């Protein structure tokens, strides 16, 4: 028995300490219900359990994500259900409008409702959101921008996809689009034949001139002291007098740099001692008739000496666009001298300009061409016009290589003689070097020359090897020369044109004979691409006013000004100069009781032209039934579509996406697996040019290749529907705006367009149906995903529980055993501590 070291007590203590440690762990497991309370309990089990817990919690959140995705899809699909309802109403209205029991005015009211429904479709597409995320404008799938405003991207699906190897990919980036166009044709419409005005006979002289139209060029005022008159304007700074209205004008003085008669008018002008000399100024015109617009007619009455000298390549009296100049002697001693600048005629065309119509009834007329211009006729490379001499004294001298009367220098082309008729008066015509007296310039053919017995031909002489009457040097075609008998002078009275106003014209009466212009009338013009504008017509408007308003509306309201240089040809009134079978210009004689002609009624048509090829440029008109019936616009040239050859390349790598794809219409469909469509300017790679002979816009391919660039960025809506990376799902939201659905092209202004609208709406309904079906498929998929995630979470939780949770029955059994051992250990420790007491018995 040892006393100092109680070995028995130590053994009992160690056993009790081990039992208490195990008992503490057992109590902890029973208290928490967990088999693993710390890494010491089960290091490998803890690691497995934590990984499984991450999967469980991620799976549970993925289930919530899927539920949120279902809510978002339901929001979008619910909005599209209303879009579907709107489209059904639009289709119903289109079917209604296609019935010819309706008038144009009725259809205009239907169009108003369709326009509002279209705006509501746009509103739905731009305001449908889920948690501030736009759902129906395409931005939840793709973001885009373009290098120019006319290039647009229509989003049909997400850019994000899966490649052949199962890898998620996106085609975002910059893409260069090259377009080569085979141009089509544009629409032309013609109106009814209408009585647009009257020409009434006016005596050649004297002419009654109002005070307001008596103009002194030296002071820049009329006799009343006003700077500007009713139909004329005088720019005192530039020194330019512009005659802008029909009427009688008397002009005197010489302090001016230019006199202009605007196109499309008939002006009676008395020149009384007028001098305009701008010969030292380059490209300056002294007297311009019908400047750069539809031709004008000027009845010119001469008093005293009048002199006009132009500079540069401008004619002394410049006749633009088939203008007519009638010259009379108003005082018995009136004279006119006109001298052209370099390469221009004395009276007629400038450089490369042809002669107009010149009728000389009296006065002393001297016409001298510039360096290469005819005396009367064409400028350099310009043909002669029509010259008729009925009286007076005429001296016409051509410049170098230009005819006295006829063509200019034709060494670079043209220079042919026009038509010259000498009925009376005295005539001297002298050609320049190598040019005829009457006929062709150098290297120009002769024209038609008629000389009556009445005429006093002083001298007609050609220069060099040229004929006196006929061809110039280098040609052998003399044309025709006719020697005729006695000429019977025609009625030389001038005619003043008075246009009818819409309120006066018989065409603008309804079936009951009531004039329709008791109130202003509005016409709406709608272009095939959906652009729209309107004009208001008044009873005081003339048909020329109507044509100008419609031209301006097409140019600026519909934006076609960007394709042409001259906006005056969109809408014109026939003036008798057109070389087309469609236009009508007719003068109906007005006779007095003795059968004498006292004037003419002018009947003409209005032509409306589009400068945009294809149906996207077609123009339709909407307004009151009476007004549209009066105009009677009908299509005489149908538009035909441009054909485009399109290539698409990655702007960075140069890799081809689309190679030389041919398409009709300015849209490339189905790029990148149908994710986007691309629209471009309908006039890409196309130039519109006005053909003065055919009176039409003609289209040709531009030099080079049209290029435009788009930037597309993936903004797909991706739902995280799994606990791990890559376990996601892409939702493709398409652009459901009115333009993307094609509703911007819906017109019901006439039966044909309403019938076409039915098909357009059917296509739109199909697009919305496909989007709703796709959203429904997404929703069904997400519901299955949610069910799967719930099952997965349950099974993972059960597995993790088997690792981490305590087996309570087993732990109670262990606890009971350890509790008994603990009590026994305590008792044994107490007994061991009593053993040393036995030593005391040895001391007794």
């Amino acid at each position: 028995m040892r006393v100092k070291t109680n070995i028995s007590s130590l053994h009992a203590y160690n056993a009790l300490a081990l039992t208490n440690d195990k008992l503490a762990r057992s109590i902890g497991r029973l208290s928490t219900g967990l088999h693993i309370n710390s890494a010491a309990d089960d290091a490998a089990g803890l690691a497995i359990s934590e990984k499984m817990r991450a999967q469980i919690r991620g799976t549970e959140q993925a289930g919530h994500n899927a539920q949120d995705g279902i809510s978002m899809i339901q929001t979008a699909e619910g909005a599209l259900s209303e879009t579907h309802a709107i489209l059904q109403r639009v289709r119903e209205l289109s079917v209604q409008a296609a019935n010819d029991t309706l008038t144009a005015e009725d259809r205009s009211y239907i169009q108003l409702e369709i326009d509002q429904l279209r705006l509501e479709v746009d509103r739905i597409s731009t305001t449908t959101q889920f948690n501030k995320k736009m759902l129906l404008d395409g931005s939840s799938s793709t973001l885009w921008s373009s290098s120019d405003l006319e290039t647009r991207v229509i989003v049909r699906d997400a850019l994000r996809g899966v490649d052949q190897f199962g890898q998620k990919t996106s085609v975002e980036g910059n893409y260069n689009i090259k377009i080569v166009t085979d141009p089509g044709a544009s629409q032309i419409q013609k109106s009814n034949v209408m009585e647009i005005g009257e020409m009434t006979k006016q005596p050649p002289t004297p002419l009654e001139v109002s005070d307001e139209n008596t103009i002194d060029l030296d002071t820049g005022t009329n006799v009343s002291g006003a700077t500007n008159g009713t139909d004329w304007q005088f720019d005192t700074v530039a020194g330019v007098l512009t005659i802008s209205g029909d009427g009688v004008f008397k002009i005197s003085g010489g302090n001016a740099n230019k006199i202009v008669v605007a196109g499309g008018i008939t002006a009676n002008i008395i020149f009384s001692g007028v001098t305009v000399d701008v010969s030292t100024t380059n490209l300056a015109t002294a007297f311009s008739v019908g400047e750069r617009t539809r031709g004008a007619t000027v009845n010119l009455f001469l008093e005293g000496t009048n002199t006009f000298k132009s500079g540069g390549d401008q004619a002394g009296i410049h006749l633009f666009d088939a203008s007519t100049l009638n010259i009379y002697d108003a005082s018995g001693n009136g004279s006119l001298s006109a001298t052209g600048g370099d390469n221009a005629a004395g009276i007629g065309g400038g450089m490369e300009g042809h002669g107009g119509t010149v009728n000389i009834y009296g006065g002393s007329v001297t016409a001298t061409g510039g360096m290469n211009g005819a005396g009367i006729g064409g400028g350099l490379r310009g043909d002669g016009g029509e010259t008729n001499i009925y009286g007076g004294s005429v001296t016409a001298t051509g410049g170098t290589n230009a005819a006295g009367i006829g063509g200019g220098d034709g060494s670079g082309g043209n220079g042919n003689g026009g038509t010259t008729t000498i009925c009376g008066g005295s005539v001297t015509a002298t050609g320049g070097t190598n040019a005829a007296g009457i006929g062709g310039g150098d290297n120009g053919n002769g024209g038609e020359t008629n000389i009556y017995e009445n005429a006093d031909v002083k001298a007609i002489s050609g220069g060099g090897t040229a004929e006196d009457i006929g061809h110039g040097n280098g040609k052998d075609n003399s044309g025709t020369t006719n020697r005729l008998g006695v000429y019977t002078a025609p009625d030389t009275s001038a005619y003043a044109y008075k246009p009818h106003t819409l309120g006066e014209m018989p065409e603008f009466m309804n079936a009951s004979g009531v004039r329709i212009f008791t109130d202003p009338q509005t016409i709406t013009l709608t272009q095939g691409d959906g652009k729209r504008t309107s004009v208001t017509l008044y009873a005081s408007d003339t048909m020329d006013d109507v044509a100008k308003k419609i031209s301006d509306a097409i140019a600026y309201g519909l934006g076609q000004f960007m394709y042409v240089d001259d906006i005056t040809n969109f809408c014109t009134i026939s003036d008798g100069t057109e070389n087309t079978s469609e236009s009508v210009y007719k003068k109906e004689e007005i006779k007095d009781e003795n059968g004498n002609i006292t004037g003419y009624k002018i009947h003409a048509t209005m032509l409306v032209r589009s400068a945009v090829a294809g149906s996207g440029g077609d123009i339709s008109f909407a307004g009151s039934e009476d007004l549209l019936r009066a105009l009677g616009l009908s299509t005489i040239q149908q538009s035909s579509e441009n054909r485009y050859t399109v290539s698409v390349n990655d702007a960075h790598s140069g890799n081809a996406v689309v190679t030389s794809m041919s398409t009709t219409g300015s849209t490339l469909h189905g790029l990148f697996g149908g994710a986007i469509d691309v629209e471009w300017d309908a006039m890409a790679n196309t130039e519109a040019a006005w053909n003065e002979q055919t009176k039409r816009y003609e289209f040709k391919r531009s030099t080079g290749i049209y290029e435009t660039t788009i930037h597309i960025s993936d903004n797909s809506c991706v739902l995280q529907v799994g606990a791990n990376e890559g376990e996601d799902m892409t939702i493709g939201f398409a652009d459901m705006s009115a333009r993307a659905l094609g509703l911007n092209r819906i017109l019901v202004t006439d039966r044909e367009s309403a019938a076409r609208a039915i098909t357009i709406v059917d296509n739109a309904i199909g697009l919305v149906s496909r989007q709703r079906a796709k959203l429904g498929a997404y929703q069904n998929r997400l519901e299955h995903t949610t069910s799967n995630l719930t099952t997965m979470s349950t099974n993972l939780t059960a597995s993790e529980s088997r690792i981490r949770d305590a087996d309570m029955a087993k732990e109670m059994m262990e606890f009971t055993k350890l509790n008994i051992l603990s009590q026994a250990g305590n008792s044994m420790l107490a007994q061991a501590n009593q053993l040393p007491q036995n030593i005391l018995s040895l001391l007794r």
Side-chain angles (χ1 to χ4, degrees), residues 182-198:
D182 182 12
S186 63
Q187 179 196 62
I188 301 177
Q189 299 179 73
K190 182 178 74 172
S191 74
N192 290 327
V193 181
M194 295 175 282
E195 184 182 316
I196 64 172
E198 291 184 3

Side-chain angles (χ1 to χ4, degrees), residues 470-613:
H471 62 73
N473 179 47
K475 293 290 184 179
D476 56 9
N477 185 349
S478 299
T480 59
T481 301
N482 302 308
R483 301 286 180 171
L484 305 172
V486 176
Y487 177 75
T488 302
D491 182 1
T492 58
S493 299
Y495 289 85
Y497 175 70
K498 179 182 181 300
H500 290 331
T501 64
L502 301 182
E504 299 169 339
M505 293 172 62
E507 289 81 5
F508 292 96
M509 293 183 180
N510 62 21
S512 302
V514 178
R515 298 191 182 278
I516 65 175
F517 273 97
T518 53
D519 296 310
Q521 299 282 335
T522 298
I523 299 180
T524 299
L525 289 75
T526 306
Q527 196 165 263
D529 60 2
K531 294 178 182 176
R532 188 168 303 171
T533 189
S534 61
V535 297
T536 301
L537 306 179
Y538 299 89
S540 58
D541 287 338
T542 66
M543 284 305 298
D544 280 331
D545 296 329
V546 174
K548 185 177 187 309
K549 287 183 177 182
I550 293 177
S551 281
D552 289 345
I554 296 173
Y556 301 113
L558 301 181
Q560 293 194 18
F561 74 92
M562 69 179 68
Y563 304 122
V564 298
D565 295 328
D566 186 351
I567 68 166
T568 61
N569 295 317
F570 290 122
C571 183
T572 59
I573 305 298
S574 302
D575 61 2
T577 65
E578 292 91 340
N579 184 27
T580 61
S581 59
E582 296 91 353
S583 60
V584 175
Y585 180 87
K586 180 182 177 182
K587 294 166 67 173
E588 179 187 352
E589 295 178 348
I590 302 173
K591 297 181 178 180
D592 60 18
E593 63 276 7
N594 298 319
N596 299 317
I597 297 175
T598 60
Y600 300 91
K601 292 181 179 179
I602 306 301
H603 301 272
T605 55
M606 180 176 72
L607 293 176
V608 180
R609 309 171 183 88
S610 173
V612 176

Side-chain angles (χ1 to χ4, degrees), residues 688-708:
W690 176 252
N691 187 319
E692 185 61 31
Q693 297 300 314
T694 62
K695 302 293 182 181
R696 298 187 179 196
Y697 289 112
E698 296 178 351
F699 301 92
K700 66 177 182 179
R701 181 184 302 166
S702 303
T703 303
I705 298 175
Y706 180 89
E707 294 190 32
T708 184

